[in-house]
Amino acid sequence: MCAEINTKYLNEIRKRKTFAIISHPDAGKTTLTEKFLLFGGAIQVAGAVKSNKIKKYATSDFMEIERQRGISVATSVMSFEYNKMLINLLDTPGHKDFAEDTYRTLTAVDSVVLVIDSVNGVEEQTRRLMEVCRMRDTPVIVFINKMDRDGKNRFDLLEEIENELKISLHPMTWPINSGKDFKGVYNLHDKSLVLFAAHSKGSGEGVVSFEDLSNPELDKIIGDRDASQLREDVELLDGVYGPLKIEDYLSGKIAPVFFGSAVNNFGVKELLDTFIQIAPTPRDRETTLRPVHVWEPKFSGFIFKIHANLDPKHRDRIAFLRVCSGKFERNKYFHHVRINKDVRFSAPYSFLAREKEVVDEAFAGDVVGLFDTGNFKIGDTLTEGENFYFTGIPSFSPEIFKEVVNKDPMRTKQLEKGLSQLTDEGVAQLFTQFGGNKKIIGCVGELQFEVIQYRLLHEYGASVQLNNIPFYKACWLTSKDPKKLQDFVRFKSSNIAKDKDGHLVYLAQSEWFLNTERTNNPDIEFHFTSEIHK
Ligand code: G4P
């Protein structure tokens, strides 16, 4: 019986690919998402859809502020089928102020597609996202977008990406020019020429097979100059790269690269087809107790994201659960490890296309939305009874800090509840000054403070003033020598705070202060990230 169930689970798991598309804002993430959804039949919008239109479809607009600003502040999930595979695409907010949301979403995926704008090359947000991918050795496929615009020299671009993102690349396709001279890409692996047509249907039209590039037909199709350039480039590339070793991609050492133009649906099918072939199916995960294998029959999963305010009139939250093993079932009791209670869900839902559908079961790799009335926080684990937490879910050092000043003492309780719940959701981090009562909120971007202030007022009736505090980073402190740590905390008490879980942090005024303290205190470790569960 057990073996039979396992085979069923294995078959389900092998069908699934859970990933995220990440990019610096405006590189083309939304446009690429839309094309993937079109290929997957999840949307049926003919022709080029304006990206801001699809933003409404492809990302959630749970929060009023998101509608006001037209920025996706939320993360949502889109599931669709393609070539008999079930794809779970986790969307990430493009806005840098919500970067922490994106970082966390990356803990719930098995691979990523990184979009880079061929004109702008590597940008700030790309660098940071890649750092997070490297922390977890997440397999990455790179899509160099906007080849229809005059971009950087392609060799220079590859070098820039390799140097700045500290990853080795492996071109899968190779572009013939860019901008108005862009003629298409040569597929280095199946040795075919894919000719560029604006707004292509991506259905294979304009594909010419070229087993041997010395074939004079090539000159006829793309012209003598470009043909000889392509021959030269391909010879060089074949010499340098050779065939792709899938295991190097899967271990996060090498990133395959595709060139294309998302808005023209060009090069997207090649990317998606290769993704389907090589991207990892759900992977085993570490916990505080033991590794959990995806094929284990017993269910386990963790919360990586909490969304508030589906309907602004209600205070519901939706907790996003990533299933890691076994089968999640509707109405079945599962063990909520942190609060040590058994809980069940009568209306969990999955995210097929843009529709939310109640699901009866879900398998490893799937993401399920659970209605939550305040029982969950990021990193919570559900099991069938075992007590462990999934590890590798980090908190990152905030970059802007503000002191919370209560403007309405009559609403102190509501304020505390609001702060506690909002920080459970991961909207911001809450610190309490050491030895005092001062509450400090840390965020990655200014916009998050506006979200917090807005939500405290609208959801909790708590009016606050947020005063700037000139801190630059929060570093979690550890030391093998408890006495040294104690002394440091005592001497530096005005810079010391505790996070929500009671861990000590050092709030540095500047990089200079931080470096000085590091040099003066070699027995103390300063960490820029903190694992929610170790
Ligand atoms: P994001 O989600 O990463 O922020 O980027 P998004 O897809 O919204 O794309 C940003 C802009 O880049 C959009 O233009 C989009 O149409 C354009 N774009 C995407 N792919 C390509 C491409 O391959 N070539 C060219 N030339 N442009 C591309 P926009 O003017 O901001 O919006 P819209 O008016 O086109 O909707």
Side-chain angles (χ1 to χ4, degrees), residues 100 203 271 470 507:
E100 183 140 2
S203 56
L271 168 71
L507 300 169

Side-chain angles (χ1 to χ4, degrees), residues 503-516:
H503 299 131
L504 286 170
V505 293
Y506 169 71
L507 300 169
Q509 288 99 318
S510 69
E511 196 174 353
W512 184 86
F513 274 101
L514 178 60
N515 288 338
T516 310

Side-chain angles (χ1 to χ4, degrees), residues 110-112 130-142 165-170 244-256 278-280 283:
D110 298 301
S111 68
V112 306
M130 257 316 288
E131 270 171 39
V132 180
C133 290
R134 269 202 312 275
M135 277 167 70
R136 310 173 51 79
D137 297 325
T138 308
V140 177
I141 297 182
V142 175
L165 301 185
K166 299 185 189 71
I167 185 160
S168 303
L169 299 179
H170 189 108
L244 173 75
K245 287 199 189 95
I246 308 279
E247 60 278 16
D248 288 343
Y249 156 67
L250 291 175
S251 60
K253 288 198 195 95
I254 282 188
I278 67 171
R283 304 171 122 190

Side-chain angles (χ1 to χ4, degrees), residues 289-345:
L289 191 67
R290 61 179 184 85
V292 164
H293 300 288
V294 279
W295 44 259
E296 289 182 21
K298 288 213 166 144
F299 161 78
S300 68
F302 69 94
I303 304 294
F304 66 93
K305 162 82 193 158
I306 296 173
H307 250 183
N309 248 13
L310 189 60
D311 173 350
K313 288 188 209 82
H314 299 103
R315 214 188 279 167
D316 312 355
R317 310 197 298 178
I318 287 162
F320 287 77
L321 172 90
R322 151 90 196 208
V323 182
C324 297
S325 67
K327 183 164 74 161
F328 173 88
E329 282 175 82
R330 187 161 79 91
N331 275 330
K332 180 169 172 177
Y333 276 99
F334 292 118
H335 181 55
H336 186 325
V337 177
R338 182 175 54 86
I339 61 172
N340 192 23
K341 262 193 192 154
D342 287 349
V343 289
R344 65 179 180 147
F345 304 91

Side-chain angles (χ1 to χ4, degrees), residues 23-33 49-55 94 115 117 143 145-149 260-265:
S23 77
H24 187 86
D26 271 345
K29 178 174 69 72
T30 313
T31 313
L32 188 64
T33 302
V49 181
K50 286 256 185 270
S51 66
N52 50 3
K53 215 184 270 175
I54 189 67
K55 266 172 186 154
V115 185
D117 181 332
F143 183 71
N145 190 27
K146 306 198 185 179
M147 289 306 296
D148 59 320
R149 295 187 55 199
S261 169
V263 80
N264 289 299
N265 203 9

